[in-house]
Amino acid sequence: MTNILRVESSIKGEASVSRKLTDRIIARLTAADPDATVTLRDLSTGVPHIDGAWMGAVFTPAGTRTPEQADRAAYSDALLAEVRAADTLVIALPVYNFGVPAPLKGWIDHLARKGETFQYTEAGPEGLLKGKRAIVALSSDGTKIGSEIDFASGYIRHMLGFFGITDVDFIAADQMVFGPEETLQKAEAQIDALAA
């Protein structure tokens, strides 16, 4: 049985193109594996920012945290547990102002914990979340994926790789302003061609 973690970050609700793409990706994956479980993490309502109190909490061993630290670390620990339990991550990536939405960046910040998702070795950093697959559904009005003004897809690929997730597929409904119907059809065809 496959565990799928679906991560949404668009603030557009039902009008979101990235959400339409993740709907289709989830439908494809669950059709291929009807026993798959899907956990939804919707970041669109906001993600608490990390700060000094958060750092003190998450880097204190769970058994020795104060009640305040335990409360502060609980959200971050829940996000980490969801990613650890997942075999496949389906991540919505709407491009806002050439980059990732703030809630998605916040999610990554909560996950970037030394000793949990990565470690430093003599050979350099090593990701600790190996053996997982990620499918990223990118949507944008004017930014072309992989272009010099795309600061979103490269960042997501880098951070996933930093965590040890190197099996990453991108589905792109990019530059929607130049032909929304054709662009969406192209992205849907990419989804239909995905290995499930």
Side-chain angles (χ1 to χ4, degrees):
M1 179 173 65
T2 304
N3 294 320
I4 301 168
L5 175 60
R6 177 179 181 170
V7 181
E8 296 292 341
S9 59
S10 174
I11 59 175
K12 294 182 179 179
E14 294 305 311
S16 164
V17 171
S18 62
R19 195 175 297 258
K20 287 180 175 66
L21 296 177
T22 55
D23 280 344
R24 192 175 185 108
I25 294 167
I26 294 295
R28 175 151 177 77
L29 295 177
T30 55
D33 183 0
D35 294 326
T37 62
V38 180
T39 300
L40 172 63
R41 175 56 72 171
D42 193 339
L43 308 171
S44 64
T45 57
V47 173
H49 293 293
I50 64 170
D51 58 14
W54 171 87
M55 185 175 291
V58 299
F59 288 106
T60 297
T64 60
R65 290 175 182 159
T66 66
E68 294 79 18
Q69 286 177 321
D71 184 57
R72 190 76 167 100
Y75 179 80
S76 185
D77 288 344
L79 297 182
L80 184 56
E82 288 173 351
V83 173
R84 280 193 175 130
D87 302 298
T88 301
L89 287 76
V90 176
I91 301 170
L93 175 56
V95 176
Y96 294 167
N97 303 316
F98 312 105
V100 300
L104 187 57
K105 171 67 165 65
W107 179 74
I108 290 169
D109 286 344
H110 277 276
L111 295 176
R113 291 167 56 179
K114 186 170 68 171
E116 301 286 355
T117 54
F118 70 95
Q119 65 185 358
Y120 291 112
T121 70
E122 289 182 7
E126 176 188 10
L128 301 176
L129 299 177
K130 296 180 177 89
K132 299 179 185 299
R133 177 187 189 193
I135 304 169
V136 181
L138 179 145
S139 63
S140 73
D141 281 341
T143 303
K144 181 171 180 56
I145 188 171
S147 70
E148 64 182 15
I149 61 170
D150 169 18
F151 301 103
S153 65
Y155 173 75
I156 291 295
R157 184 182 297 279
H158 173 78
M159 290 308 300
L160 290 171
F162 186 70
F163 297 156
I165 304 170
T166 56
D167 181 2
V168 181
D169 291 303
F170 277 86
I171 303 298
D174 55 348
Q175 296 188 304
M176 292 286 289
V177 295
F178 301 114
E181 289 181 17
E182 299 86 351
T183 302
L184 194 54
Q185 288 173 357
K186 180 185 77 170
E188 289 171 346
Q190 290 175 340
I191 293 168
D192 294 344
L194 274 174

